[in-house]
Amino acid sequence: MNESKGFDIFSLVLGILSVILAFFVLNHPGVSMSVVIIIIGIFMLIDGILHFGRRSRLRELGMKSTGMLTFSAVIDIIAGLMIIFMPTSFGAMYVWIVVAVGMVMDSLFELWAAKYVKHLGKGYYWFIVIMAILGIIFGIVMMFSPAFALTFVVAMVAAYFLVFGIVQIVNAF
């Protein structure tokens, strides 16, 4: 049990770079948001292209109609291209709406699912219910405030890099 895993230089460097990136994101929110938007557009474009590639394979597996998959692929490709080429208008609007609606939908699901965790304890149940209600309120506020929603996205990206970086630094030792 006294085994030492040793020092991991890769985790340390990755952790330090992630923490630095977190502070860069916070200090340059406009550039960071633009990068996030373009990455989303690239992912959507790639996803749409991959959907096209899967159509023939699904037909081989017995799927008779791939019309919905084709429709989804076309939408992904068009939206991805629009996000890439219009990041400050269409891209920002896309992220704003997806984040706001996603927050409300996720919170509504959490509120519905809370009844299934009631047996784990009243404290946990009420924590889930309160957080879900706050999430619904938060999402509705974001629906009417695009700047707030986009700021939230940048803050979440920075928080992710900061937490990931700290975990990697701790894991290095």
Side-chain angles (χ1 to χ4, degrees), residues 2-167:
N2 237 357
E3 237 177 82
S4 175
K5 71 176 184 126
F7 176 71
D8 184 2
I9 188 72
F10 180 73
S11 290
L12 180 65
V13 170
L14 185 61
I16 291 170
L17 290 175
S18 292
V19 170
I20 291 169
L21 190 55
F23 287 107
F24 177 83
V25 168
L26 288 175
N27 287 327
H28 304 285
V31 172
S32 301
M33 190 70 242
S34 295
V35 170
V36 167
I37 288 170
I38 290 173
I39 289 171
I40 289 170
I42 291 169
F43 281 169
M44 288 185 73
L45 180 63
I46 291 170
D47 189 47
I49 292 168
L50 291 175
H51 278 114
F52 269 119
R54 290 185 193 120
R55 291 177 324 143
S56 61
R57 178 70 179 134
L58 289 172
R59 281 191 206 118
E60 290 172 9
L61 294 172
M63 183 181 271
K64 293 182 185 195
S65 173
T66 58
M68 196 56 138
L69 184 63
T70 302
F71 177 74
S72 173
V74 169
I75 295 297
D76 281 350
I77 290 170
I78 291 170
L81 289 171
M82 289 177 69
I83 290 170
I84 292 168
F85 291 111
M86 296 185 290
T88 55
S89 57
F90 184 80
M93 184 176 62
Y94 177 85
V95 170
W96 160 46
I97 292 169
V98 167
V99 168
V101 171
M103 176 72 83
V104 171
M105 296 303 292
D106 185 60
S107 296
L108 286 171
F109 174 77
E110 289 295 323
L111 194 57
W112 172 80
K115 64 185 173 189
Y116 296 106
V117 298
K118 207 172 199 174
H119 70 278
L120 296 175
K122 283 188 178 186
Y124 185 62
Y125 168 78
W126 283 109
F127 175 76
I128 298 280
V129 168
I130 290 168
M131 294 306 290
I133 291 169
L134 288 174
I136 292 167
I137 293 167
F138 199 48
I140 291 170
V141 169
M142 284 194 287
M143 284 182 188
F144 296 101
S145 177
F148 179 65
L150 296 175
T151 302
F152 175 76
V153 170
V154 170
M156 294 283 60
V157 169
Y160 171 80
F161 282 126
L162 184 62
V163 170
F164 178 78
I166 291 170
V167 168

